[in-house]
């Protein structure tokens, strides 16, 4: 099976322009394509997985990826999928985040001469003269068409800033610039980027009289229609200092039954023949499929050793063994205890099991917290520091989140 047909069989392709030409270029390894990543945090999330594995698939087939770091566009903020304006970041924050992105991308993409390239659109966007940009690029865009774009329509009622209104023009200019300077002939992105991406192809056609191509890939969605990469209100990060390998494994191990095979098709590199055989799995077999998904992705991000440790710890815990050594652990200091005790709400926040005392209160009141083998019912419950000595104590949130707290 040729690459384009495999991408379609995996359900990755959402929309394309010039499908026959795109198929021919991808199959022949002649596509030089880019995907953009705005640097809104210092780590990529599980929600970036589709783009990262997509780039890896195409590079393995001889195509050339360009990872575009949005050092310039991050200063504006993409309104796509947003109900409010993004937080404004400093140039220093953006540069730091971009450096973190590159280190994580190198686990998926091979960079170097004649291989993948990494570029930062701050290098050309921040030096643009505003009036020159209006004359050169602004004349190519119809405000009427822009307002019909889905990324803007959904924000019109709550308010769309003029700053964000410029985002489509900036993204379009990226493609225009890369087309000329890097021989980039194709743009890929999430399905929510279609309007922005078409803006780039139209700009190239009007300014240069040449054709360029774009294709959107399906975004991960859970059964409620929310983007994957978040759980219990918290992002699932690729940085092990933000999301431990164990928690990362558990996130994928606990995906909804309806999503597991879709995730295996989209995200893993298992042969399609093997995936097709798994399609009919139910019951305990479906749980096995979730283990396969979780191990494959944890191995891809954190390495085989961490994936094995996470899998063994999960099996031990849910089998009653309680492998504390591989469990996410928080070391509490004496400062965590007042009069030798720590309250349950402070304990949950200190262990990262709740982002705030308000959320911790809600978890306890809903009966979702256990310390040791005892369910916590009192929001004023306190624990003495002696409980956390030695191997510490296991805190359980919900049915599937385990965390160890120890006193150093």
């Amino acid at each position: 099976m040729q690459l384009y047909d495999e991408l379609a069989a995996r359900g990755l392709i959402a929309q394309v322009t010039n499908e026959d030409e795109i198929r021919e270029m991808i199959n022949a390894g002649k596509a030089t394509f880019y995907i953009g990543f705005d640097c809104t945090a210092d780590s990529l999330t599980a929600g970036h997985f589709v783009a990262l594995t997509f780039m890896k698939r195409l590079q393995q087939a001889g195509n050339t990826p360009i990872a575009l770091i949005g050092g310039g566009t991050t200063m504006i903020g993409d309104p796509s999928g947003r109900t409010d304006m993004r937080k404004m970041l400093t140039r220093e924050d953006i540069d730091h985040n971009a450096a973190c992105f590159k280190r994580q991308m190198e686990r998926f993409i091979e960079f170097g001469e004649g291989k993948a390239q990494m570029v930062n659109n701050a290098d050309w966007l921040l030096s643009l003269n505003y009036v020159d940009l209006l004359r050169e690029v602004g004349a190519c865009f119809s405000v009427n068409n822009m307002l019909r774009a889905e990324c803007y329509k959904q924000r019109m009622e709550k308010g769309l800033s003029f700053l964000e209104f410029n985002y489509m023009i900036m993204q379009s200019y990226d493609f225009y610039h890369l087309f000329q300077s890097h021989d980039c002939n194709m743009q890929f992105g999430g399905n929510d980027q279609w309007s922005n991406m078409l803006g780039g192809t139209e700009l190239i056609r009007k300014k240069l009289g040449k054709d360029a191509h774009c294709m959107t890939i399906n975004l991960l969605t859970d059964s409620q229609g929310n983007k994957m990469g978040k759980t219990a209100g918290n992002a699932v990060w690729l940085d092990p200092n933000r999301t431990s390998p164990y928690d990362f494994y558990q996130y994928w191990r606990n995906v909804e039954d309806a999503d597991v095979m879709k995730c295996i098709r989209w995200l893993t590199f298992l042969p399609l023949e093997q995936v097709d055989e798994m399609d009919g799995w139910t019951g305990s077999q479906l749980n096995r499929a979730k283990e396969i998904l979780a191990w494959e992705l944890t191995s891809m991000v954190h390495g085989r050793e961490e994936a094995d440790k996470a899998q063994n710890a999960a099996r031990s815990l849910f089998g009653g063994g309680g492998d504390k050594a591989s469990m996410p652990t928080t070391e509490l200091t004496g400062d965590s205890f007042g009069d030798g005790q720590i309250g349950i709400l402070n304990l949950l926040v200190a262990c990262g099991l709740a982002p705030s005392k308000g959320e911790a209160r809600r978890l306890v009141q809903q009966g979702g917290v256990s310390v040791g083998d005892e369910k916590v019912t009192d929001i004023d419950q306190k624990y003495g520091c002696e409980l956390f000595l030695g191997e510490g104590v296991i805190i359980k949130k919900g049915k599937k989140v385990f965390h160890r707290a120890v006193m150093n």
Side-chain angles (χ1 to χ4, degrees), residues 8 13 30 68 71 78 80 108 165 179 205-206 266 282-283 308 332 395:
I13 300 175
K30 295 182 178 179
L68 174 64
D78 184 3
S80 300
F108 296 83
F165 190 66
F179 185 91
R205 186 186 66 80
K206 288 183 176 179
W266 287 6
T282 59
D308 287 340
L332 303 173
I395 305 165

Side-chain angles (χ1 to χ4, degrees), residues 6-119:
E6 180 181 345
L7 297 175
R10 289 184 180 272
L12 284 166
I13 300 175
Q15 302 179 82
V16 299
T17 61
N18 312 96
E19 182 174 28
D20 290 340
E21 293 181 35
I22 289 177
R23 177 188 285 107
E24 182 179 346
M25 292 169 67
I26 287 176
N27 289 342
K30 295 182 178 179
T32 297
F33 66 95
Y34 93 88
I35 298 180
F37 299 83
D38 277 348
C39 317
T40 53
D42 61 2
S43 173
L44 297 165
T45 73
H48 291 105
F49 246 126
V50 173
L52 294 171
T53 56
F54 192 87
M55 296 174 85
K56 184 174 181 177
R57 292 184 204 281
L58 267 68
Q59 185 177 42
Q60 288 179 338
N63 298 286
T64 304
I66 298 176
L68 174 64
I69 298 297
T73 43
T74 304
M75 300 188 75
I76 297 175
D78 184 3
S80 300
R82 302 282 300 183
T83 58
D84 54 10
M85 194 167 79
R86 294 183 187 273
K87 177 185 175 182
M88 300 285 280
L89 299 177
T90 66
R91 179 71 185 272
E92 291 73 20
D93 288 338
I94 293 171
D95 289 345
H96 170 73
N97 294 346
C100 295
F101 278 21
K102 183 176 182 181
R103 289 194 297 270
Q104 293 174 351
M105 287 179 180
E106 287 173 341
R107 295 197 69 97
F108 296 83
I109 308 161
E110 189 175 359
F111 293 97
E113 187 175 351
K115 300 174 183 176
Q117 307 170 63
M118 177 169 284
V119 297

Side-chain angles (χ1 to χ4, degrees), residues 127-138 162 166 170:
S127 61
L128 288 173
N129 178 283
Y130 186 61
V131 173
D132 289 343
L133 178 68
L134 289 177
R135 289 175 61 87
E136 182 181 4
V137 178
F162 183 71
N166 282 270
M170 295 295 96

